Amino acid sequence: MHELLLSGPNVFNLLSWNETIKLFRGGMPLRRHWAHFRYYECSFTGSEAVDYLHELLRRNYNFGPEVTRYQTLQLLRKFLKAHVVEDIKGRHGTEDFVDNGHLYRFPTSSPLKSFPTRPLLRDSSDLPRLIRWDDYEELPQRENIAPLKSSVMTSDLWNKRHSVAIGDVNECKLIRRKEITPKQVDHIWKTMTVAHLQSVLGLQSLDGVLNPAHVNGKHIVHNVFSVNKTGIVVLENKAEDMPYWVASAMKCLANWPNGNESKQPLYPGFERDVLRTVADYFQRLKEPLLTFHLYEVFVNILSLLHEQQEAAEALQVSCLLLPPPNRRRLQLLMRLMARVCQNPHLPPLNDAIATRTLMVQMFSHCVLGSVDEMDLDELLATKLVIFMMEHHNTIFQVPSKLRCQVEEHLSHLKRVQIKYAGSETDFSASPAFCKQISRVECEERTVIGTQTPLQALLEGLIADKELPAKDKRKRLKQFQRSYPEVYRSRFPTEESKAAVVPEKTPRLKPHLMFFNLKKPFQPFQRSWSFRA
């Protein structure tokens, strides 16, 4: 089934339509029925058709157990208008299929729809292109500055690394991109998101599925970065947000029975009125939350639902394409539906329908729909909404792989690179040399580049006036032991050292500082002199 998605627009819809018809025609029990004093062979009643098709759809993976009898009846009415079935008098198109004893039969002509012709692939220039190193500016060449990093390469390795002919290395220039603008960042996010979506869907092309012109890079960037601590999109323009009374009603239901912040008086059926308020708002939106432009994208994802991880990733990427107000509404709605279905304290919201089924029926067509009503829109929407409701905590996360790819690309564009005359290849990881050097010269530059910071460290130690003389001498000795060559180049003689380093002041020897206590004290008759 997945390969057939390449054929063009609405293919999954047509595929499901044709598959359903085949299963219905091939399995529907046919027998003799009496009506109007005569019998009709190979016929069935409306109620028999509803019973059989309802059970068939509930067991089919493309639709699931949430399909209701009313939805099945609506599909049979579409079958009648499309001449998939007809009444026993051969009428179709103008009559309504009824769920009673009225007799119907299958026509002899084929009711299957043909697949649309696949459009020719657009030229690659129509697709968004990543920013390249087309525009650059030369960096000023600085002289007499030791390289920060050196490396030694053989001639073969050098030529292989830089893709130049054997011989003299071409002249090169140090280049960098001009400052990346927010508009360029938006374009990069758009381009890489669309490419990632095509990869996740497993499609060779997005023709008939997504028009890149309908993708707004600014929306993607906003959905990625402008979120609160719970991951909900934050809108810059509050006028685009839901009305306060709708948000309050949703919060009331989501946190029932503790969500009544407005302290409204509770009465029997209060929760049903609150739900009706929320439903009225979403059902009056001008277009579904997933938008008409992205309809084919989300319909294609239906084929991946059996692979939970792949489907979740495809929805993560697709939901990034939504306008921020739509993404915010969709996030809040899916969270509300999940909490309502899981809340054991919430009274039944309908006397005849289970809460889960009610929520799916009430909001499915508010989430997914096409501009022109398709034959299976409601059933497909039901299947997709159930999956999104069950995995809402996952599908509104930003795909980590996509985010990492974009950040690496932006980092690459900010690197300074070397460009060789006559070569269009860039080497962001190339060493910072413009010509090949010998091993001896490389080692000399290595020594120079290493000694420069050590010499600066030594001069700073000498010039430190706040450091006590004792500590200074101690540190200089440590420096001398660690870096004797640097120390020797600074102090080639003792005189050069004495000119900048204070010498240690001598002290009296211990045995000269005691007196003979057996003799009376007499002043010293000899004077002592100390060398300065």
Side-chain angles (χ1 to χ4, degrees):
M1 180 183 295
H2 190 71
E3 289 76 7
L4 292 175
L5 296 178
L6 304 177
S7 302
N10 301 322
V11 173
F12 184 85
N13 206 329
L14 291 177
L15 186 63
S16 300
W17 171 270
N18 290 344
E19 179 185 359
T20 304
I21 291 175
K22 289 179 179 179
L23 293 175
F24 179 49
R25 287 174 62 97
M28 179 67 202
L30 304 178
R31 60 186 180 88
R32 175 186 296 180
H33 287 85
W34 285 88
H36 307 296
F37 305 104
R38 59 171 295 186
Y39 63 86
Y40 297 89
E41 297 287 352
C42 299
S43 59
F44 52 86
T45 67
S47 297
E48 291 172 346
V50 174
D51 291 339
Y52 177 80
L53 185 58
H54 184 210
E55 186 62 26
L56 175 67
L57 294 175
R58 286 170 54 86
R59 287 186 283 105
N60 188 288
Y61 183 81
N62 288 331
F63 305 104
E66 302 296 331
V67 177
T68 64
R69 188 178 182 85
Y70 176 76
Q71 290 175 324
T72 305
L73 178 60
Q74 292 295 100
L75 180 57
L76 283 168
R77 288 172 177 172
K78 293 182 180 181
F79 280 177
L80 183 61
K81 291 182 180 180
H83 204 193
V84 176
V85 298
E86 62 184 13
D87 69 3
I88 55 174
K89 296 182 179 181
R91 295 174 297 189
H92 65 88
T94 58
E95 303 291 326
D96 251 354
F97 195 99
V98 289
D99 187 4
N100 57 18
H102 195 76
L103 295 181
Y104 298 90
R105 66 188 181 193
F106 292 119
T108 56
S109 59
S110 174
L112 301 182
K113 293 185 178 182
S114 59
F115 290 93
T117 304
R118 178 177 178 175
L120 295 177
L121 290 176
R122 294 192 299 269
D123 187 81
S124 59
S125 59
D126 296 336
L127 300 176
R129 184 176 65 86
L130 279 176
I131 297 176
R132 299 177 61 84
W133 288 81
D134 299 326
D135 301 324
Y136 62 87
E137 57 183 356
E138 297 183 15
L139 295 181
Q141 302 296 324
R142 297 182 295 178
E143 300 180 353
N144 301 326
I145 296 182
L148 297 179
K149 180 181 180 180
S150 62
S151 62
V152 178
M153 291 188 289
T154 63
S155 179
D156 293 338
L157 181 58
W158 178 272
N159 290 318
K160 181 179 179 180
R161 183 69 174 274
H162 297 276
S163 302
V164 296
I166 297 177
D168 294 335
V169 179
N170 294 331
E171 180 184 359
C172 61
K173 298 178 180 179
L174 203 58
I175 63 171
R176 67 181 176 191
R177 275 208 59 86
K178 296 179 180 179
E179 191 69 24
I180 301 178
T181 64
K183 186 176 181 180
Q184 291 173 327
V185 173
D186 295 344
H187 177 78
I188 291 172
W189 270 100
K190 170 183 174 178
T191 304
M192 301 191 73
T193 301
V194 172
H196 191 69
L197 176 62
Q198 179 176 331
S199 174
V200 172
L201 292 179
L203 302 180
Q204 297 178 357
S205 170
L206 290 178
D207 288 331
V209 177
L210 175 64
N211 185 352
H214 295 152
V215 180
N216 190 323
K218 186 175 294 186
H219 290 169
I220 299 175
V221 174
H222 187 102
N223 291 334
V224 171
F225 297 102
S226 298
V227 296
N228 59 20
K229 60 182 180 180
T230 60
I232 304 295
V233 172
V234 178
L235 301 180
E236 297 177 356
N237 185 3
K238 299 303 180 182
E240 298 177 339
D241 203 352
M242 294 183 297
Y244 174 76
W245 51 271
V246 176
S248 298
M250 296 178 70
K251 187 179 296 185
C252 178
L253 280 178
N255 301 312
W256 186 274
N258 302 317
N260 188 15
E261 295 181 352
S262 59
K263 305 302 179 182
Q264 294 287 341
L266 300 181
Y267 53 85
F270 174 78
E271 64 284 348
R272 299 187 181 188
D273 290 342
V274 175
L275 177 61
R276 193 174 298 111
T277 299
V278 176
D280 288 344
Y281 170 77
F282 281 97
Q283 291 170 358
R284 292 178 182 178
L285 295 176
K286 295 181 180 180
E287 69 172 344
L289 294 176
L290 297 181
T291 74
F292 294 136
H293 292 314
L294 299 178
Y295 172 78
E296 293 296 337
V297 174
F298 287 98
V299 168
N300 274 266
I301 295 176
L302 288 169
S303 66
L304 303 176
L305 295 186
H306 62 286
E307 297 289 345
Q308 179 176 325
Q309 185 174 355
E310 294 182 9
E313 185 177 2
L315 285 170
Q316 285 179 340
V317 182
S318 302
C319 288
L320 287 178
L321 308 181
L322 295 172
N326 288 48
R327 181 179 171 94
R328 176 177 172 82
R329 291 185 179 94
L330 184 62
Q331 284 181 284
L332 295 175
L333 178 60
M334 291 296 106
R335 187 175 67 173
L336 169 68
M337 295 174 64
R339 289 187 178 182
V340 167
C341 294
Q342 298 170 0
N343 189 351
H345 304 291
L346 189 65
L349 298 175
N350 188 283
D351 296 332
I353 305 176
T355 298
R356 176 186 170 91
T357 303
L358 176 66
M359 298 297 289
V360 173
Q361 289 184 14
M362 186 172 288
F363 295 106
S364 289
H365 66 282
C366 307
V367 175
L368 179 67
S370 58
V371 178
D372 302 320
E373 182 181 358
M374 304 303 296
D375 298 312
L376 299 177
D377 271 359
E378 186 174 354
L379 296 178
L380 297 178
T382 299
K383 182 69 175 177
L384 182 64
V385 168
I386 292 174
F387 186 89
M388 295 181 70
M389 179 180 67
E390 293 176 347
H391 303 88
H392 70 97
N393 288 328
T394 302
I395 63 177
F396 291 108
Q397 297 176 0
V398 180
S400 57
K401 183 178 180 181
L402 172 62
R403 189 166 192 165
C404 182
Q405 290 174 346
V406 175
E407 290 176 351
E408 287 182 356
H409 184 74
L410 290 173
S411 176
H412 169 74
L413 292 179
K414 296 175 182 178
R415 296 191 186 114
V416 176
Q417 298 193 351
I418 292 178
K419 189 177 183 67
Y420 291 88
S423 174
E424 296 300 326
T425 309
D426 51 45
F427 305 90
S428 59
S430 301
F433 296 105
C434 293
K435 66 178 181 180
Q436 190 175 4
I437 61 176
S438 65
R439 179 183 296 273
V440 176
E441 186 179 358
C442 176
E443 293 177 353
E444 291 177 353
R445 293 191 178 185
T446 302
V447 173
I448 296 174
T450 305
Q451 288 184 351
T452 301
L454 293 176
Q455 291 172 352
L457 176 63
L458 180 58
E459 294 296 336
L461 181 60
I462 295 172
D464 190 354
K465 297 181 179 180
E466 298 182 359
L467 187 65
K470 179 180 178 181
D471 294 339
K472 180 176 293 187
R473 287 191 298 269
K474 182 178 179 181
R475 296 187 182 183
L476 285 174
K477 287 183 178 180
Q478 293 176 348
F479 190 94
Q480 183 181 12
R481 287 194 298 268
S482 301
Y483 310 104
E485 294 181 0
V486 178
Y487 188 88
R488 192 181 307 113
S489 64
R490 179 64 178 84
F491 302 116
T493 62
E494 289 294 330
E495 289 75 11
S496 60
K497 176 182 176 182
V500 294
V501 180
E503 292 188 4
K504 179 179 179 181
T505 303
R507 297 187 303 175
L508 292 176
K509 295 183 179 180
H511 68 279
L512 297 177
M513 299 189 64
F514 292 94
F515 303 101
N516 191 344
L517 299 180
K518 296 182 179 180
K519 295 181 181 181
F521 173 75
Q522 295 179 353
F524 289 105
Q525 301 298 322
R526 185 178 178 181
S527 60
W528 295 84
S529 63
F530 296 91
R531 184 174 61 182

